[in-house]
């Protein structure tokens, strides 16, 4: 995956109309394929930007308060599903921290 493709994956799966966050809110669960691609793209971008003093503003926007989107209090998901989401957001947050170091 090249840098432009990785950026587009992050944009699509975090702030796009069909993002994994929209799917979660709609009660569709965590799309594992999209989640896997997001993690792959974030890992690529960590490598791409590791020696850069800044990242694109749009990329930074993708991760502002992202953890809030993974927690639900509406009874849409089981406790087990919510634990999966919690693990996912922890991994995304950890990678975001690495990206912005």
């Amino acid at each position: 995956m090249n840098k432009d493709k990785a950026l587009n994956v992050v944009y699509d799966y975090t702030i796009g109309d069909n993002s994994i966050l929209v799917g979660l809110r709609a009660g569709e669960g965590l799309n594992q394929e999209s989640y896997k691609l997001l993690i792959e793209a974030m890992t690529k971008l960590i490598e791409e930007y590791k020696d850069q003093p800044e990242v694109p503003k749009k990329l930074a926007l993708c991760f502002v308060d992202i953890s809030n989107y993974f927690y639900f209090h509406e009874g849409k998901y089981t406790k087990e599903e919510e634990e999966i989401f919690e693990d996912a957001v922890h991994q995304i947050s950890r990678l975001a921290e690495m990206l912005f170091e």
Side-chain angles (χ1 to χ4, degrees):
M1 179 179 307
N2 66 33
K3 182 172 82 173
D4 290 336
K5 170 75 173 165
L7 285 168
N8 286 327
V9 166
V10 170
Y11 298 155
D12 290 344
Y13 293 152
T14 59
I15 60 174
D17 291 337
N18 296 312
S19 74
I20 59 175
L21 307 174
V22 170
L24 287 171
R25 287 284 175 202
E28 298 168 2
L30 180 62
N31 181 314
Q32 290 296 323
E33 183 178 323
S34 297
Y35 173 71
K36 181 180 172 186
L37 283 171
L38 175 61
I39 297 304
E40 180 182 333
M42 290 179 72
T43 302
K44 172 66 175 174
L45 293 174
I46 289 167
E47 184 64 29
E48 289 288 331
Y49 289 107
K50 71 180 179 183
D51 296 323
Q52 303 297 317
E54 55 189 44
V55 299
K57 287 181 184 180
K58 186 175 179 181
L59 180 59
L61 174 66
C62 293
F63 300 104
V64 172
D65 293 330
I66 194 165
S67 62
N68 291 336
Y69 295 103
F70 281 81
Y71 295 99
F72 301 90
H73 303 288
E74 303 160 355
K76 286 183 181 178
Y77 297 106
T78 66
K79 181 71 172 164
E80 292 79 22
E81 289 171 316
E82 288 179 359
E83 288 176 7
I84 291 169
F85 304 156
E86 187 174 325
D87 291 343
V89 74
H90 285 300
Q91 184 174 18
I92 291 169
S93 295
R94 184 180 58 78
L95 290 174
E97 285 177 25
M98 292 171 67
L99 180 60
F100 300 117
E101 284 183 341

